[in-house]
Amino acid sequence: MELTRLRGFRDLIGADARAMSLVEERARAIFDRYSIKEIRIPVLERTQLYQRSSGETSDIVEKQMYTFTDRDEGETVVALRPEGTPGVVRAYIEAGLDRTDPEQRLFYSGPMFRRERPQKGRYRQFYQFGVEIFGRPDAACDAELLIMIEEFCRDLKVPFTMEINSIGDQKCRPAFREALVKWGRAHWDELDDDCHNRIDRNPLRLLDCKKDAKVTESAPNSLDYLCDECRAHFDTVKELLTGVGIHFVVNPRMVRGLDYYTRTAFEVMAGGLGAQSTVVAGGRYDGLVETMGGAAVAGIGFAIGIDRMALALEAAGVLSAVAPDAAIIAMGPAAMRRATLLARVLRANKMNVEMLSPERKMKTLLARASKIGARYAVIIGDDELARGVVQLRNLKESTQSEVQEVQLGEAARAIAESRTK
Ligand code: ATP
Ligand code: MG
């Protein structure tokens, strides 16, 4: 076939798509419980938006953006969104919320695009659910988000670990940065080319050195550089988490790749994913709204990698196959008409049913019913039609009983309720 999909882009069919939807459904349910409202933002934005917010030296802006010049008069340079936060911040400022109603709890969801090397758990189009909270500089907000994330992962039944750190703020981070630059120069030979580039441009990313995890063991530790305010903030976050029994690991080498983060940074890793195990990542970004031309409003947020979370669900084996409760088998045109009506009765009573083609043989249809995983077959032939009954066949147990049409609703409800979730 010539017209194949692009590298790093995926078609998700059936169970794989279902795993993604499940993650999305559960995320929405949790966000409701935490009073977080939805925001929908465009997929296409000015490239400048990302340059300004993510920082010129982030991987995203340096090499991962799908960007092109639009054919309008101004020849606007636009990009497919590589992440959600810049668009949400832009929308927040553009709606004037930073001045009129700064405290906002928002979530977004949808596809993101990054031109990176495809591998398992790393795609060029992937999906994120993200949360951004504005106007809440307090540590209680950091803790509330982490508690929500923990609840979400527990709800999905995937094994996970949560790591947190504080990377300081504008006041104390310069000293940490400087210490990292000094360390980087002293360990030049142990670092790869990527990291050589980072030393002056984005020294925090030195801690992400992919060459050898051992290298960074001697690197400076962000927690040693925190000012009193940042330390007190981080202590409160930890105390609140401990108080509600949340397990976390403090990882003083964890940094975020984007320039706008301050203070609390966190990541959640899921089991069974191999190298790309981070399924949730985020942190505080108190200076971002102002950097983007808005008021000085605090912010904190995170994104869930839906694709990876779905892979984790599949790896944990917690997904049940979706199959209809029953297949409807109608023999002949008159039975087919009756079956169309009865299918509505079954569905009105919460049964999931699939109507099979009436133009095949009984044997073929029974085989089809098994193939789609139906637990029951509802069979209607001329004889059943004449007597106002159907045959209800339990395909798993190979038993069959006759049910009066008038009692079909009741039978359907019992079958729907016996479905294992
Ligand atoms: P990584 O270090 O894995 O590249 P990142 O720091 O670029 O991650 P973020 O920008 O913080 O990731 O995005 C949050 C989450 O989105 C990640 O933890 C991951 O689950 C998911 N994610 C990021 N990039 C991809 C991708 N290319 N394909 C699939 N999921 C992704
Ligand atoms: Mg990345």
Side-chain angles (χ1 to χ4, degrees):
M1 193 168 121
E2 255 175 85
L3 298 172
T4 54
R5 64 179 186 271
L6 298 168
R7 205 165 109 77
F9 290 75
R10 301 198 292 160
D11 301 312
L12 294 166
I13 301 174
D16 293 337
R18 169 85 194 130
M20 302 275 290
S21 305
L22 192 75
V23 176
E24 290 165 353
E25 275 165 30
R26 295 294 171 83
R28 278 177 191 276
I30 292 253
F31 296 160
D32 275 347
R33 282 213 287 288
Y34 280 78
S35 178
I36 297 172
K37 314 281 181 319
E38 184 162 12
I39 177 171
R40 291 190 180 233
I41 48 167
V43 170
L44 204 65
E45 298 261 13
R46 293 170 203 279
T47 298
Q48 267 178 342
L49 174 73
Y50 303 107
Q51 287 165 335
R52 173 91 72 87
S53 65
S54 309
E56 300 277 357
T57 60
S58 66
D59 280 356
I60 288 182
V61 168
E62 273 193 332
K63 49 191 184 205
Q64 297 179 349
M65 264 200 293
Y66 281 94
T67 170
F68 61 95
T69 305
D70 201 357
R71 286 182 302 251
D72 57 8
E73 269 173 48
E75 303 206 323
T76 315
V77 182
V78 296
L80 289 174
R81 65 181 179 200
E83 55 161 338
T85 306
V88 173
V89 172
R90 179 203 49 68
Y92 171 79
I93 298 170
E94 210 167 324
L97 292 169
D98 56 328
R99 287 163 213 282
T100 58
D101 192 8
E103 218 178 296
Q104 296 286 333
R105 298 156 76 89
L106 304 171
F107 79 83
Y108 60 85
S109 84
M112 305 294 158
F113 302 83
R114 297 184 193 174
R115 203 175 188 297
E116 45 189 335
R117 194 169 71 78
Q119 50 199 291
K120 187 183 175 209
R122 193 177 290 288
Y123 312 106
R124 290 179 168 179
Q125 174 174 340
F126 62 98
Y127 293 78
Q128 285 185 335
F129 243 101
V131 169
E132 315 292 352
I133 314 277
F134 297 103
R136 288 285 307 274
D138 54 287
C141 184
D142 306 33
E144 192 184 20
L145 284 190
L146 287 162
I147 292 167
M148 176 171 78
I149 293 168
E150 195 260 3
E151 211 173 288
F152 174 64
C153 295
R154 220 158 16 91
D155 182 44
L156 287 174
K157 298 191 177 68
V158 295
F160 66 96
T161 51
M162 180 181 273
E163 293 190 354
I164 66 172
N165 190 24
S166 176
I167 56 173
D169 62 6
Q170 291 87 335
K171 210 166 86 194
C172 54
R173 201 161 44 187
F176 176 50
R177 263 177 103 100
E178 213 168 286
L180 274 168
V181 172
K182 215 184 244 172
W183 173 87
R185 296 229 170 86
H187 292 78
W188 185 271
D189 294 341
E190 296 153 53
L191 300 170
D192 58 16
D193 285 349
D194 255 359
C195 288
H196 292 154
N197 288 326
R198 287 171 179 164
I199 289 181
D200 293 309
R201 294 164 61 80
N202 193 350
L204 256 66
R205 294 288 321 271
L206 283 175
L207 294 178
D208 279 345
C209 187
K210 297 280 189 303
K211 193 177 157 196
D212 180 1
K214 279 226 162 61
V215 175
T216 54
E217 273 173 16
S218 63
N221 175 332
S222 69
L223 297 177
D224 291 337
Y225 291 82
L226 296 186
C227 59
D228 291 345
E229 291 84 352
C230 285
R231 177 167 308 284
H233 184 98
F234 192 48
D235 285 344
T236 308
V237 174
K238 287 186 292 182
E239 185 197 320
L240 292 171
L241 294 179
T242 308
V244 294
I246 301 252
H247 292 282
F248 60 87
V249 177
V250 174
N251 175 1
R253 308 246 179 266
M254 190 224 308
V255 289
R256 307 290 317 130
L258 305 177
D259 283 358
Y260 53 64
Y261 286 103
T262 55
R263 293 192 167 171
T264 317
F266 49 87
E267 284 190 12
V268 172
M269 273 71 64
L273 289 184
Q276 317 312 324
S277 64
T278 307
V279 288
V280 180
R284 188 164 270 291
Y285 50 80
D286 288 341
L288 181 62
V289 177
E290 205 175 5
T291 308
M292 307 260 300
V297 180
I300 179 168
F302 67 84
I304 301 167
I306 299 175
D307 308 67
R308 286 187 200 172
M309 198 59 111
L311 289 174
L313 281 185
E314 292 179 278
V318 292
L319 286 175
S320 45
V322 260
D325 297 313
I328 302 186
I329 297 178
M331 304 307 296
M336 184 259 288
R337 285 189 179 80
R338 190 80 196 139
T340 302
L341 205 81
L342 294 179
R344 274 167 73 83
V345 174
L346 297 174
R347 290 182 180 125
N349 286 283
K350 306 270 188 288
M351 226 169 124
N352 300 337
V353 301
E354 181 171 327
M355 179 108 160
L356 303 188
S357 165
E359 287 163 16
R360 304 229 169 88
K361 293 208 171 65
M362 178 62 115
K363 200 169 153 226
T364 314
L365 290 172
L366 281 172
R368 175 78 195 152
S370 294
K371 179 150 188 235
I372 61 174
R375 283 188 293 147
Y376 291 89
V378 175
I379 304 165
I380 311 169
D382 288 339
D383 178 48
E384 283 77 17
L385 197 60
R387 294 192 294 122
V389 299
V390 304
Q391 300 299 331
L392 185 64
R393 189 180 177 90
N394 184 327
L395 295 168
K396 310 269 142 134
E397 291 167 12
S398 296
T399 53
Q400 188 165 311
S401 58
E402 199 168 275
V403 180
Q404 299 286 331
E405 276 184 7
V406 288
Q407 277 158 6
L408 207 52
E410 203 180 312
R413 229 164 314 138
I415 289 173
E417 273 161 25
S418 70
R419 189 188 310 143
T420 45
K421 289 274 152 27

mmCIF file of all heavy atoms in Angstrom, residues 214-250:
data_model
loop_
_atom_site.group_PDB
_atom_site.id
_atom_site.type_symbol
_atom_site.label_atom_id
_atom_site.label_comp_id
_atom_site.label_asym_id
_atom_site.label_seq_id
_atom_site.Cartn_x
_atom_site.Cartn_y
_atom_site.Cartn_z
ATOM 1 N N LYS A 214 24.691 7.463 36.100
ATOM 2 C CA LYS A 214 25.692 7.582 37.172
ATOM 3 C C LYS A 214 26.396 8.936 37.161
ATOM 4 O O LYS A 214 26.787 9.452 38.199
ATOM 5 C CB LYS A 214 26.755 6.469 37.011
ATOM 6 C CG LYS A 214 26.311 5.132 37.575
ATOM 7 C CD LYS A 214 27.443 4.525 38.427
ATOM 8 C CE LYS A 214 26.958 3.448 39.370
ATOM 9 N NZ LYS A 214 26.361 2.296 38.672
ATOM 10 N N VAL A 215 26.536 9.502 35.945
ATOM 11 C CA VAL A 215 27.280 10.755 35.801
ATOM 12 C C VAL A 215 26.740 11.846 36.727
ATOM 13 O O VAL A 215 27.495 12.567 37.380
ATOM 14 C CB VAL A 215 27.200 11.253 34.330
ATOM 15 C CG1 VAL A 215 27.859 12.616 34.179
ATOM 16 C CG2 VAL A 215 27.848 10.243 33.416
ATOM 17 N N THR A 216 25.407 11.939 36.790
ATOM 18 C CA THR A 216 24.810 13.059 37.524
ATOM 19 C C THR A 216 24.808 12.852 39.037
ATOM 20 O O THR A 216 24.397 13.740 39.770
ATOM 21 C CB THR A 216 23.367 13.310 37.040
ATOM 22 O OG1 THR A 216 22.643 12.081 37.143
ATOM 23 C CG2 THR A 216 23.331 13.804 35.619
ATOM 24 N N GLU A 217 25.299 11.715 39.494
ATOM 25 C CA GLU A 217 25.296 11.469 40.938
ATOM 26 C C GLU A 217 26.108 12.504 41.717
ATOM 27 O O GLU A 217 25.801 12.815 42.859
ATOM 28 C CB GLU A 217 25.826 10.055 41.240
ATOM 29 C CG GLU A 217 24.706 9.020 41.178
ATOM 30 C CD GLU A 217 25.210 7.592 41.296
ATOM 31 O OE1 GLU A 217 26.361 7.384 41.718
ATOM 32 O OE2 GLU A 217 24.433 6.685 40.950
ATOM 33 N N SER A 218 27.129 13.045 41.050
ATOM 34 C CA SER A 218 27.970 14.020 41.745
ATOM 35 C C SER A 218 27.498 15.464 41.503
ATOM 36 O O SER A 218 28.115 16.411 41.985
ATOM 37 C CB SER A 218 29.411 13.873 41.276
ATOM 38 O OG SER A 218 29.496 14.175 39.888
ATOM 39 N N ALA A 219 26.412 15.621 40.745
ATOM 40 C CA ALA A 219 25.935 16.970 40.405
ATOM 41 C C ALA A 219 25.314 17.640 41.627
ATOM 42 O O ALA A 219 24.875 16.970 42.562
ATOM 43 C CB ALA A 219 24.895 16.889 39.290
ATOM 44 N N PRO A 220 25.274 18.983 41.631
ATOM 45 C CA PRO A 220 24.661 19.680 42.754
ATOM 46 C C PRO A 220 23.178 19.319 42.895
ATOM 47 O O PRO A 220 22.529 18.937 41.925
ATOM 48 C CB PRO A 220 24.816 21.160 42.403
ATOM 49 C CG PRO A 220 25.598 21.240 41.169
ATOM 50 C CD PRO A 220 25.836 19.882 40.623
ATOM 51 N N ASN A 221 22.687 19.454 44.098
ATOM 52 C CA ASN A 221 21.360 19.012 44.479
ATOM 53 C C ASN A 221 20.474 20.247 44.677
ATOM 54 O O ASN A 221 20.818 21.135 45.444
ATOM 55 C CB ASN A 221 21.587 18.247 45.786
ATOM 56 C CG ASN A 221 20.341 17.793 46.449
ATOM 57 O OD1 ASN A 221 19.287 18.392 46.312
ATOM 58 N ND2 ASN A 221 20.478 16.728 47.204
ATOM 59 N N SER A 222 19.359 20.319 43.985
ATOM 60 C CA SER A 222 18.552 21.551 44.002
ATOM 61 C C SER A 222 18.103 21.928 45.413
ATOM 62 O O SER A 222 17.974 23.098 45.744
ATOM 63 C CB SER A 222 17.349 21.416 43.073
ATOM 64 O OG SER A 222 16.421 20.489 43.590
ATOM 65 N N LEU A 223 17.876 20.931 46.241
ATOM 66 C CA LEU A 223 17.349 21.210 47.586
ATOM 67 C C LEU A 223 18.365 21.964 48.458
ATOM 68 O O LEU A 223 17.999 22.671 49.382
ATOM 69 C CB LEU A 223 16.918 19.910 48.269
ATOM 70 C CG LEU A 223 15.774 19.165 47.558
ATOM 71 C CD1 LEU A 223 15.472 17.853 48.265
ATOM 72 C CD2 LEU A 223 14.533 20.038 47.484
ATOM 73 N N ASP A 224 19.676 21.797 48.136
ATOM 74 C CA ASP A 224 20.705 22.504 48.918
ATOM 75 C C ASP A 224 20.707 23.999 48.642
ATOM 76 O O ASP A 224 21.376 24.758 49.332
ATOM 77 C CB ASP A 224 22.101 21.953 48.580
ATOM 78 C CG ASP A 224 22.278 20.532 49.090
ATOM 79 O OD1 ASP A 224 21.545 20.160 50.027
ATOM 80 O OD2 ASP A 224 23.135 19.808 48.547
ATOM 81 N N TYR A 225 20.003 24.416 47.595
ATOM 82 C CA TYR A 225 20.075 25.830 47.200
ATOM 83 C C TYR A 225 18.786 26.605 47.478
ATOM 84 O O TYR A 225 18.684 27.764 47.137
ATOM 85 C CB TYR A 225 20.444 25.931 45.710
ATOM 86 C CG TYR A 225 21.868 25.491 45.451
ATOM 87 C CD1 TYR A 225 22.179 24.136 45.317
ATOM 88 C CD2 TYR A 225 22.906 26.413 45.393
ATOM 89 C CE1 TYR A 225 23.485 23.712 45.123
ATOM 90 C CE2 TYR A 225 24.216 25.999 45.194
ATOM 91 C CZ TYR A 225 24.500 24.645 45.059
ATOM 92 O OH TYR A 225 25.795 24.250 44.877
ATOM 93 N N LEU A 226 17.804 25.955 48.062
ATOM 94 C CA LEU A 226 16.511 26.624 48.258
ATOM 95 C C LEU A 226 16.604 27.780 49.255
ATOM 96 O O LEU A 226 17.242 27.654 50.292
ATOM 97 C CB LEU A 226 15.455 25.627 48.761
ATOM 98 C CG LEU A 226 15.066 24.478 47.832
ATOM 99 C CD1 LEU A 226 13.910 23.687 48.449
ATOM 100 C CD2 LEU A 226 14.681 24.985 46.450
ATOM 101 N N CYS A 227 15.920 28.881 48.953
ATOM 102 C CA CYS A 227 15.816 29.980 49.916
ATOM 103 C C CYS A 227 14.795 29.581 50.989
ATOM 104 O O CYS A 227 14.081 28.583 50.836
ATOM 105 C CB CYS A 227 15.384 31.270 49.212
ATOM 106 S SG CYS A 227 13.806 31.150 48.356
ATOM 107 N N ASP A 228 14.698 30.372 52.050
ATOM 108 C CA ASP A 228 13.813 29.998 53.166
ATOM 109 C C ASP A 228 12.361 29.839 52.713
ATOM 110 O O ASP A 228 11.672 28.909 53.138
ATOM 111 C CB ASP A 228 13.884 31.056 54.275
ATOM 112 C CG ASP A 228 15.246 31.027 54.972
ATOM 113 O OD1 ASP A 228 15.981 30.033 54.785
ATOM 114 O OD2 ASP A 228 15.575 31.998 55.675
ATOM 115 N N GLU A 229 11.889 30.747 51.851
ATOM 116 C CA GLU A 229 10.483 30.689 51.416
ATOM 117 C C GLU A 229 10.221 29.421 50.602
ATOM 118 O O GLU A 229 9.201 28.754 50.794
ATOM 119 C CB GLU A 229 10.115 31.920 50.560
ATOM 120 C CG GLU A 229 10.073 33.241 51.297
ATOM 121 C CD GLU A 229 11.439 33.907 51.423
ATOM 122 O OE1 GLU A 229 12.474 33.271 51.074
ATOM 123 O OE2 GLU A 229 11.488 35.059 51.890
ATOM 124 N N CYS A 230 11.128 29.102 49.700
ATOM 125 C CA CYS A 230 10.939 27.904 48.869
ATOM 126 C C CYS A 230 11.017 26.641 49.722
ATOM 127 O O CYS A 230 10.273 25.683 49.507
ATOM 128 C CB CYS A 230 11.981 27.852 47.753
ATOM 129 S SG CYS A 230 11.646 29.017 46.420
ATOM 130 N N ARG A 231 11.899 26.670 50.711
ATOM 131 C CA ARG A 231 12.035 25.499 51.585
ATOM 132 C C ARG A 231 10.759 25.303 52.398
ATOM 133 O O ARG A 231 10.238 24.192 52.509
ATOM 134 C CB ARG A 231 13.240 25.665 52.511
ATOM 135 C CG ARG A 231 13.403 24.517 53.508
ATOM 136 C CD ARG A 231 14.763 24.539 54.183
ATOM 137 N NE ARG A 231 15.845 24.600 53.209
ATOM 138 C CZ ARG A 231 16.255 23.578 52.473
ATOM 139 N NH1 ARG A 231 15.693 22.401 52.623
ATOM 140 N NH2 ARG A 231 17.222 23.715 51.604
ATOM 141 N N ALA A 232 10.224 26.403 52.938
ATOM 142 C CA ALA A 232 9.003 26.317 53.749
ATOM 143 C C ALA A 232 7.836 25.801 52.887
ATOM 144 O O ALA A 232 7.040 24.965 53.327
ATOM 145 C CB ALA A 232 8.662 27.684 54.335
ATOM 146 N N HIS A 233 7.772 26.290 51.649
ATOM 147 C CA HIS A 233 6.718 25.862 50.722
ATOM 148 C C HIS A 233 6.807 24.351 50.484
ATOM 149 O O HIS A 233 5.819 23.624 50.600
ATOM 150 C CB HIS A 233 6.878 26.632 49.408
ATOM 151 C CG HIS A 233 5.796 26.366 48.397
ATOM 152 N ND1 HIS A 233 4.723 27.196 48.222
ATOM 153 C CD2 HIS A 233 5.629 25.345 47.515
ATOM 154 C CE1 HIS A 233 3.932 26.707 47.282
ATOM 155 N NE2 HIS A 233 4.466 25.583 46.819
ATOM 156 N N PHE A 234 8.017 23.895 50.195
ATOM 157 C CA PHE A 234 8.222 22.467 49.907
ATOM 158 C C PHE A 234 7.918 21.616 51.147
ATOM 159 O O PHE A 234 7.288 20.557 51.037
ATOM 160 C CB PHE A 234 9.674 22.244 49.441
ATOM 161 C CG PHE A 234 9.918 20.891 48.843
ATOM 162 C CD1 PHE A 234 9.060 20.371 47.880
ATOM 163 C CD2 PHE A 234 11.025 20.136 49.224
ATOM 164 C CE1 PHE A 234 9.298 19.114 47.315
ATOM 165 C CE2 PHE A 234 11.264 18.880 48.657
ATOM 166 C CZ PHE A 234 10.392 18.369 47.709
ATOM 167 N N ASP A 235 8.329 22.109 52.332
ATOM 168 C CA ASP A 235 8.054 21.359 53.570
ATOM 169 C C ASP A 235 6.550 21.205 53.785
ATOM 170 O O ASP A 235 6.087 20.136 54.190
ATOM 171 C CB ASP A 235 8.689 22.072 54.781
ATOM 172 C CG ASP A 235 10.203 21.882 54.815
ATOM 173 O OD1 ASP A 235 10.702 20.977 54.098
ATOM 174 O OD2 ASP A 235 10.889 22.638 55.529
ATOM 175 N N THR A 236 5.793 22.269 53.510
ATOM 176 C CA THR A 236 4.333 22.188 53.690
ATOM 177 C C THR A 236 3.730 21.170 52.730
ATOM 178 O O THR A 236 2.867 20.379 53.105
ATOM 179 C CB THR A 236 3.683 23.575 53.485
ATOM 180 O OG1 THR A 236 4.351 24.516 54.318
ATOM 181 C CG2 THR A 236 2.205 23.551 53.834
ATOM 182 N N VAL A 237 4.189 21.193 51.468
ATOM 183 C CA VAL A 237 3.659 20.227 50.492
ATOM 184 C C VAL A 237 3.876 18.805 51.002
ATOM 185 O O VAL A 237 2.946 17.983 51.051
ATOM 186 C CB VAL A 237 4.344 20.391 49.106
ATOM 187 C CG1 VAL A 237 3.889 19.300 48.148
ATOM 188 C CG2 VAL A 237 4.044 21.765 48.514
ATOM 189 N N LYS A 238 5.099 18.526 51.444
ATOM 190 C CA LYS A 238 5.416 17.166 51.914
ATOM 191 C C LYS A 238 4.588 16.794 53.136
ATOM 192 O O LYS A 238 4.075 15.673 53.231
ATOM 193 C CB LYS A 238 6.920 17.078 52.259
ATOM 194 C CG LYS A 238 7.809 17.068 51.021
ATOM 195 C CD LYS A 238 9.276 16.835 51.383
ATOM 196 C CE LYS A 238 9.835 18.025 52.146
ATOM 197 N NZ LYS A 238 11.255 17.892 52.489
ATOM 198 N N GLU A 239 4.429 17.774 54.039
ATOM 199 C CA GLU A 239 3.676 17.516 55.267
ATOM 200 C C GLU A 239 2.212 17.189 54.942
ATOM 201 O O GLU A 239 1.619 16.258 55.511
ATOM 202 C CB GLU A 239 3.776 18.764 56.145
ATOM 203 C CG GLU A 239 3.163 18.636 57.515
ATOM 204 C CD GLU A 239 2.938 20.024 58.140
ATOM 205 O OE1 GLU A 239 3.818 20.910 57.972
ATOM 206 O OE2 GLU A 239 1.880 20.211 58.756
ATOM 207 N N LEU A 240 1.631 17.943 54.003
ATOM 208 C CA LEU A 240 0.223 17.705 53.644
ATOM 209 C C LEU A 240 0.047 16.329 53.000
ATOM 210 O O LEU A 240 -0.922 15.621 53.260
ATOM 211 C CB LEU A 240 -0.283 18.806 52.698
ATOM 212 C CG LEU A 240 -0.413 20.202 53.323
ATOM 213 C CD1 LEU A 240 -0.710 21.248 52.246
ATOM 214 C CD2 LEU A 240 -1.500 20.216 54.391
ATOM 215 N N LEU A 241 0.992 15.959 52.153
ATOM 216 C CA LEU A 241 0.904 14.650 51.491
ATOM 217 C C LEU A 241 1.033 13.526 52.514
ATOM 218 O O LEU A 241 0.260 12.558 52.495
ATOM 219 C CB LEU A 241 2.000 14.505 50.426
ATOM 220 C CG LEU A 241 1.912 15.439 49.221
ATOM 221 C CD1 LEU A 241 3.073 15.191 48.274
ATOM 222 C CD2 LEU A 241 0.587 15.246 48.484
ATOM 223 N N THR A 242 2.013 13.677 53.399
ATOM 224 C CA THR A 242 2.224 12.656 54.422
ATOM 225 C C THR A 242 0.986 12.537 55.312
ATOM 226 O O THR A 242 0.572 11.438 55.680
ATOM 227 C CB THR A 242 3.461 13.001 55.279
ATOM 228 O OG1 THR A 242 4.550 13.245 54.389
ATOM 229 C CG2 THR A 242 3.838 11.865 56.207
ATOM 230 N N GLY A 243 0.385 13.696 55.612
ATOM 231 C CA GLY A 243 -0.789 13.732 56.481
ATOM 232 C C GLY A 243 -1.966 12.927 55.956
ATOM 233 O O GLY A 243 -2.782 12.436 56.735
ATOM 234 N N VAL A 244 -2.074 12.798 54.628
ATOM 235 C CA VAL A 244 -3.189 12.012 54.083
ATOM 236 C C VAL A 244 -2.723 10.642 53.588
ATOM 237 O O VAL A 244 -3.452 9.937 52.886
ATOM 238 C CB VAL A 244 -3.955 12.750 52.953
ATOM 239 C CG1 VAL A 244 -4.656 13.976 53.493
ATOM 240 C CG2 VAL A 244 -3.029 13.126 51.806
ATOM 241 N N GLY A 245 -1.494 10.294 53.946
ATOM 242 C CA GLY A 245 -1.007 8.947 53.648
ATOM 243 C C GLY A 245 -0.599 8.703 52.210
ATOM 244 O O GLY A 245 -0.678 7.581 51.709
ATOM 245 N N ILE A 246 -0.146 9.751 51.517
ATOM 246 C CA ILE A 246 0.318 9.575 50.132
ATOM 247 C C ILE A 246 1.798 9.202 50.134
ATOM 248 O O ILE A 246 2.595 9.844 50.801
ATOM 249 C CB ILE A 246 0.131 10.889 49.335
ATOM 250 C CG1 ILE A 246 -1.341 11.277 49.354
ATOM 251 C CG2 ILE A 246 0.729 10.783 47.941
ATOM 252 C CD1 ILE A 246 -2.084 11.106 48.106
ATOM 253 N N HIS A 247 2.128 8.167 49.387
ATOM 254 C CA HIS A 247 3.531 7.770 49.275
ATOM 255 C C HIS A 247 4.199 8.538 48.149
ATOM 256 O O HIS A 247 3.686 8.588 47.054
ATOM 257 C CB HIS A 247 3.640 6.266 49.001
ATOM 258 C CG HIS A 247 3.203 5.458 50.169
ATOM 259 N ND1 HIS A 247 4.003 5.270 51.271
ATOM 260 C CD2 HIS A 247 2.036 4.833 50.433
ATOM 261 C CE1 HIS A 247 3.353 4.559 52.156
ATOM 262 N NE2 HIS A 247 2.152 4.274 51.678
ATOM 263 N N PHE A 248 5.347 9.121 48.453
ATOM 264 C CA PHE A 248 6.101 9.822 47.403
ATOM 265 C C PHE A 248 7.575 9.678 47.705
ATOM 266 O O PHE A 248 7.966 9.343 48.829
ATOM 267 C CB PHE A 248 5.696 11.297 47.347
ATOM 268 C CG PHE A 248 5.939 12.028 48.640
ATOM 269 C CD1 PHE A 248 7.184 12.611 48.905
ATOM 270 C CD2 PHE A 248 4.949 12.119 49.606
ATOM 271 C CE1 PHE A 248 7.418 13.272 50.106
ATOM 272 C CE2 PHE A 248 5.177 12.781 50.809
ATOM 273 C CZ PHE A 248 6.406 13.360 51.065
ATOM 274 N N VAL A 249 8.377 9.936 46.691
ATOM 275 C CA VAL A 249 9.826 9.888 46.846
ATOM 276 C C VAL A 249 10.338 11.273 46.498
ATOM 277 O O VAL A 249 9.913 11.848 45.494
ATOM 278 C CB VAL A 249 10.438 8.853 45.864
ATOM 279 C CG1 VAL A 249 11.953 8.838 45.957
ATOM 280 C CG2 VAL A 249 9.857 7.466 46.126
ATOM 281 N N VAL A 250 11.215 11.825 47.330
ATOM 282 C CA VAL A 250 11.834 13.103 46.967
ATOM 283 C C VAL A 250 13.032 12.792 46.086
ATOM 284 O O VAL A 250 13.921 12.049 46.476
ATOM 285 C CB VAL A 250 12.273 13.897 48.218
ATOM 286 C CG1 VAL A 250 13.050 15.147 47.806
ATOM 287 C CG2 VAL A 250 11.062 14.262 49.058
#
